[in-house]
Amino acid sequence: MLKFEPVQRSYFYVYPYHDTVMKYASMYHVDSNLTAAVIKKESKFKREVHSHRGAIGLMQIMPDTAKWIAGQLGDTNYSEEGLHEPDRNIRYGTWYLSTLQKEFHGNNVLALAAYNAGRGNVQEWIKQYNWSEDFSDIDAIPFAETRDYVRQVLADEKKYRELYPE
């Protein structure tokens, strides 16, 4: 396996903005490998990307969510264009991921589902399906896109942990 690590790190599991990810992961108490995996899934580390739904930047943050995050963080310099700045985008996205982890009691399956499908949907599923705090059945997530998202991010998190031990 060791002989393939340089290839994997160079082509499949790149890690630009490593220092920025580490800084905000530490600041907001989020696993840096999880943040890297979210960025990989959301944008493949391409800072100028926009989704068809309007999400912007590395961590694919919706402008309304970003505006709310800016208010929560006291960032008076918020602008939609500023979401292309890696530092700001990673800061906002990591802070948001941290709030979702807190909201869902450290459950990364639920936090990631909320990052992808919205916290309101996940709250509704918890009520509708009587999910507990230790929910882990990814197959039970009603949205196929969200199931695939959660699976991929968790798999990528594991791979980042193997390739970039802290």
Side-chain angles (χ1 to χ4, degrees):
M1 167 98 170
L2 289 176
K3 67 182 179 178
F4 296 113
E5 282 183 8
V7 171
Q8 290 180 334
R9 288 174 73 147
S10 296
Y11 296 104
F12 303 112
Y13 292 92
V14 298
Y15 203 158
Y17 313 111
H18 178 269
D19 292 344
T20 304
V21 169
M22 296 300 288
K23 175 173 76 173
Y24 291 119
S26 175
M27 184 180 294
Y28 299 123
H29 310 288
V30 174
D31 186 315
S32 60
N33 297 300
L34 184 64
T35 300
V38 168
I39 296 170
K40 180 181 187 297
K41 179 64 177 164
E42 292 288 353
S43 67
K44 294 183 177 47
F45 287 92
K46 295 177 184 166
R47 64 184 270 179
E48 295 296 325
V49 72
H50 285 252
S51 77
H52 66 281
R53 292 186 180 136
I56 298 172
L58 292 167
M59 295 191 75
Q60 288 293 280
I61 304 169
M62 294 297 287
D64 286 345
T65 302
K67 190 173 183 179
W68 173 76
I69 292 169
Q72 297 296 306
L73 294 174
D75 183 354
T76 57
N77 295 320
Y78 169 76
S79 71
E80 194 171 307
E81 187 57 36
L83 291 175
H84 292 290
E85 298 167 14
D87 189 85
R88 175 170 284 143
N89 195 283
I90 293 169
R91 178 182 179 208
Y92 284 15
T94 304
W95 179 86
Y96 186 56
L97 190 55
S98 172
T99 65
L100 293 172
Q101 287 180 318
K102 288 174 190 158
E103 181 175 340
F104 297 106
H105 310 283
N107 185 316
N108 282 340
V109 171
L110 294 175
L112 290 169
Y115 196 94
N116 178 261
R119 63 189 341 142
N121 281 323
V122 174
Q123 290 289 6
E124 185 59 36
W125 299 336
I126 289 170
K127 289 176 192 165
Q128 183 177 355
Y129 302 114
N130 201 29
W131 292 350
S132 65
E133 285 182 11
D134 63 348
F135 173 83
S136 63
D137 185 7
I138 295 170
D139 290 331
I141 296 171
F143 296 174
E145 175 188 330
T146 303
R147 284 192 303 270
D148 293 343
Y149 178 89
V150 171
R151 272 194 201 100
Q152 188 63 59
V153 171
L154 290 175
D156 288 346
E157 175 195 23
K158 181 180 177 188
K159 197 64 175 175
Y160 273 102
R161 183 169 286 108
E162 291 171 10
L163 294 171
Y164 299 91
E166 294 180 18

